[in-house]
Every structure is written in C-alpha cells, then in structure tokens.
Amino acid sequence: TSFDDAGFALDFAQAYNDWLLDKVCAHSPERLKGVAVAPAQDVARAVGEIERAAEKGAVAVTVPPVIGDRNLDDPSLLPLFEAADDLDLAVCVHSAPGMNVPLPAAGRFTNYAQVHCLSFPVDQMVALTALAMGGVLDRFPALRVGFMESGIGWVPYFVHRMHEHHEKLSHLLPRLETDPRDLLARGQCYFSFEAEEPMLEQCVAELGPDAWVYASDYPHWDSDFPGTVAECREKASPLGPEVTDRLLGANANRLYGL
C-alpha cells in the first residue's frame, strides 16, 4: 500500500502472497495459515488479488489503518471489504512506523521511541473509529476484523467512548446502527494481546472473553519470545482454563474462520 505505482504494488503483493502461501504455508497447510497482502490503493487490483489469494488458501487480508488520505470508511474502499466478506476472509488492520504509511498521530514526532509508542494504539483507534462509527461493520455484519499489535488496554476505554457518542450523538452517525459494544459481542472485532499484557483480566471482565487473540510478536525487539505461550498461560490462569483456551486459540479460530 505504500508504493506510489499501483501496478508495481500488485506485482509485489503477488510475489509475497505466492511465497507465503505456496512455499511457507505449504510446508504444513493444516498448521500454517497465511494472511495475504493487497494493493489497497487500487481497489480493483486489490479485489482481484484478494480473490486469487483466497483460492490459494489465505484466511485473511491485511490493510493499514488509513490508505493514503482515505480513512477505512471511505466509500471507494467498500468493494474491498465486500470482497473479504464474500470470501469469508478476515481483515487484519496493522501499522508500524517502518511501513511508510501515514501515521495519524505519530507522524508529528521524529524520535523513534515516541513514534513507536504512539503509532500502534492511535492508528488502531483511527481504524476502529472508521470501521465502526463509519458504518462499515454494520454494512457487512458478518465481516470479521482483527486490530493487531497495539495491545488491548485501550480497548475498553475506547469502546465505551464510542458507545457514549452513539448514545448521545447518533444524529451525527447515521451509518452506525449497532452499539459498539454489540459489534464485539456479535464477533466482528478482535484485538491482539501479547504475553506481557497487564490489562488482560480487566479487558475480559469489561468486554467478555471472546474479543482477544494471543500474539507472540516474534521476532520484534519488544517481544518476550521464546516462552511467550507459557507466560501467557500463567497471566491468564486466574481467568480459568476455558477462558484461557479461548484466548490462546478458539478466538483466533473464529477470527480466521478455521
């Protein structure tokens, strides 16, 4: 999505998806499932590549939190989400300072620590605002979206904030039909947490056990890998074995339609 040349972006996406799905995942197709990339700056090309990747076994497609100067509720992007919905693919929203995509808040900073600290959660707040309050999730009520690599402590606060605006400013949000809490309850929104997540119990208590998916964050500099699964099990143990199993596998199975 960061390339100016949409044709080159498609070539790049096809090369990556072929490598991921035909080589990496083919080693153990029952265990390894791929998330495809697509040139979202050109929606027609993106839809074609999503369809091609789905035929190869992709279970999701990743998109950035904003696409150029467009938010994810821009009407021109609806065919992309419609294609994912029709193909039963999840959409995974992911951003990072090194991806050369717009950073809605972190772009104000140049210090890497400030940029890295701010970009992930704010980027995902922007994406969730567009998809939920902009009506995309209501337009496609079976669409499943994962908000990746930003932690989860911000989610109860922000879902409550969206709930309040839905309740009190609904006349400004004509495309938001469903209370934001209910978008999570009907299985449309998932948020990834890492092994050291300090707010796991509180998030489960506030919004239930089904919206959270474990991520190892391997091989990034801030990952606790190896040993993250054991660390996560210990962190989740006060929630009981049934909830722990959801957090470590069952929720991801629902997100990716496995």
Side-chain angles (χ1 to χ4, degrees):
T1 304
S2 61
F3 295 122
D4 292 332
D5 186 327
F8 178 75
L10 175 61
D11 292 342
F12 193 97
Q14 289 177 337
Y16 174 81
N17 292 335
D18 288 346
W19 168 79
L20 176 68
L21 300 168
D22 295 341
K23 294 181 181 288
V24 177
C25 294
H27 283 293
S28 183
E30 295 303 313
R31 294 181 62 249
L32 301 176
K33 305 296 182 182
V35 177
V37 298
Q41 66 270 63
D42 186 312
V43 174
R45 284 184 168 105
V47 169
E49 182 56 16
I50 290 171
E51 293 171 346
R52 194 182 76 93
E55 291 179 359
K56 287 176 171 287
V59 297
V61 59
T62 187
V63 299
V66 297
I67 297 174
D69 60 358
R70 291 177 290 178
N71 293 325
L72 294 181
D73 60 345
D74 191 287
S76 67
L77 299 174
L78 289 176
L80 188 154
F81 296 110
E82 183 177 16
D85 184 45
D86 289 344
L87 294 164
D88 196 32
L89 296 182
V91 173
C92 292
V93 182
H94 182 273
S95 183
M99 290 174 59
N100 194 33
V101 297
L103 302 174
R108 300 180 63 86
F109 296 86
T110 58
N111 180 285
Y112 175 74
Q114 292 173 303
V115 170
H116 189 274
C117 181
L118 192 60
S119 67
F120 293 87
V122 175
D123 293 350
Q124 297 292 13
M125 289 180 187
V126 170
L128 181 56
T129 299
L131 293 172
M133 300 176 78
V136 177
L137 296 177
D138 274 320
R139 186 182 182 98
F140 305 109
L143 183 67
R144 304 179 304 278
V145 181
F147 300 86
M148 318 308 287
E149 205 179 343
S150 60
I152 60 174
W154 62 274
V155 178
Y157 155 75
F158 203 71
V159 169
H160 173 72
R161 188 168 178 81
M162 289 194 301
H163 161 80
E164 182 180 33
H165 285 73
H166 172 62
E167 181 180 53
K168 297 177 181 178
L169 293 175
S170 60
H171 61 288
L172 298 178
L173 300 168
R175 291 182 289 180
L176 176 58
E177 301 171 3
T178 304
D179 187 287
R181 285 177 170 267
D182 294 333
L183 296 174
L184 274 66
R186 74 185 185 198
Q188 284 198 267
C189 299
Y190 298 79
F191 306 87
S192 73
F193 69 93
E194 296 164 18
E196 68 274 20
E197 175 59 60
M199 300 293 290
L200 184 60
E201 289 185 59
Q202 292 92 327
C203 288
V204 171
E206 180 66 23
L207 294 172
D210 296 328
W212 323 108
V213 292
Y214 157 76
S216 72
D217 200 35
Y218 174 84
H220 296 157
W221 60 263
D222 51 342
S223 170
D224 285 355
F225 190 91
T228 52
V229 174
E231 184 179 354
C232 181
R233 284 196 177 278
E234 182 178 355
K235 181 78 71 175
S237 60
L239 298 168
E242 181 183 350
V243 172
T244 299
D245 287 345
R246 294 188 196 184
L247 300 175
L248 282 171
N251 293 346
N253 285 342
R254 287 202 321 279
L255 169 61
Y256 296 117
L258 303 179

